[in-house]
């Protein structure tokens, strides 16, 4: 070998340009670049999903939160997103029945849903309205709606979210009077 020194093995050094290219394409660096790109992509996708996802549909007065990340501080920040009216899935025919039968008390109903054979009526009433005239009237109207649709009158009238949705009135069968003395 005249003049050029040839070193073999895994510790052999290549000429400057080739060595720089090989170092740039090393498996570790490639993994770091790919991982960084995936992190940025997933963070953007999660932020978009959180912003566009609907609120919890079983809690009518929830407001969705937009996700914002403080990249330098490494913390997430929650910012409320304004929305005109919460999404309320459920039995829309029952809401119409309430408006037709008792429009004054129907204003307190936020959602009516079926959970198995039971009809649940969610209201904006406080927990202190247990066995009140309004709660019992809402229960009786829901029982009439259930019977009109061929169901047994199993009804639960719930207070608002702030109170934790306690039962204000319930009817377990056709002999029950909607008072809370018979909670299962």
């Amino acid at each position: 070998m005249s003049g050029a020194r040839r070193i073999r093995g895994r510790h052999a050094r290549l000429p400057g340009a080739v060595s720089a290219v090989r170092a740039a394409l090393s498996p570790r660096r490639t993994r770091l670049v790919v991982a960084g790109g995936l992190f940025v992509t997933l963070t953007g996708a999660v932020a978009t999903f959180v912003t566009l996802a609907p609120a919890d549909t079983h809690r009518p007065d929830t407001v969705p939160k937009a996700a914002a990340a403080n990249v330098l501080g490494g913390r997430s920040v929650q910012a409320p997103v304004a929305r005109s009216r919460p999404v309320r899935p459920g039995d829309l025919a029952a809401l119409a029945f309430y408006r037709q039968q008792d429009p004054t008390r129907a204003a307190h109903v936020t959602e009516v849903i079926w959970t198995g054979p039971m009809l649940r009526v969610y209201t904006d009433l406080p927990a202190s309205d247990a066995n009140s005239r309004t709660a019992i009237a809402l229960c009786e109207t829901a029982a009439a709606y259930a019977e009109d649709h061929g169901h047994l009158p199993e009804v639960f009238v719930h207070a608002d979210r702030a109170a934790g949705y306690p039962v204000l009135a319930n009817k377990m069968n056709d002999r029950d009077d909607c008072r809370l003395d018979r909670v299962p």
Side-chain angles (χ1 to χ4, degrees):
M1 292 209 243
S2 65
R5 187 172 141 196
R6 195 167 190 193
I7 302 174
R8 294 182 186 215
R10 65 182 213 190
H11 296 291
R13 299 202 185 250
L14 299 172
V18 176
S19 174
V21 170
R22 190 172 204 183
L25 297 176
S26 74
R28 185 166 190 262
R29 259 183 220 218
T30 304
R31 281 183 282 180
L32 287 174
V33 169
V34 169
L38 285 173
F39 175 75
V40 169
T41 304
L42 288 175
T43 303
V46 168
T48 302
F49 174 76
V50 169
T51 302
L52 298 176
D56 186 0
T57 56
H58 296 290
R59 296 181 179 169
D61 56 346
T62 58
V63 176
K65 305 279 184 200
N70 180 350
V71 177
L72 298 176
R75 301 184 305 263
S76 64
V77 180
Q78 296 293 326
V81 175
R83 189 168 63 180
S84 61
R85 188 169 175 105
V87 178
R88 294 183 189 144
D91 193 341
L92 298 178
L95 289 173
F97 186 81
Y98 267 110
R99 288 186 195 112
Q100 178 186 6
Q101 297 297 318
D102 192 357
T104 305
R105 291 189 176 112
H108 293 290
V109 177
T110 58
E111 182 180 23
V112 179
I113 61 171
W114 288 96
T115 55
M118 293 175 280
L119 187 61
R120 295 190 180 274
V121 180
Y122 293 93
T123 68
D124 62 358
L125 299 173
S128 60
D129 277 5
N131 284 333
S132 68
R133 288 184 195 177
T134 302
I136 291 171
L138 291 173
C139 177
E140 290 169 350
T141 303
Y145 174 77
E147 288 174 344
D148 285 353
H149 286 80
H151 294 280
L152 293 175
E154 294 181 73
V155 176
F156 287 87
V157 177
H158 295 273
D160 64 350
R161 179 175 184 236
Y165 301 116
V167 176
L168 300 177
N170 70 326
K171 185 171 181 83
M172 298 305 297
N173 56 41
D174 52 353
R175 295 180 310 273
D176 198 355
D177 66 353
C178 286
R179 299 212 186 282
L180 281 181
D181 53 332
R182 292 189 38 165
V183 176

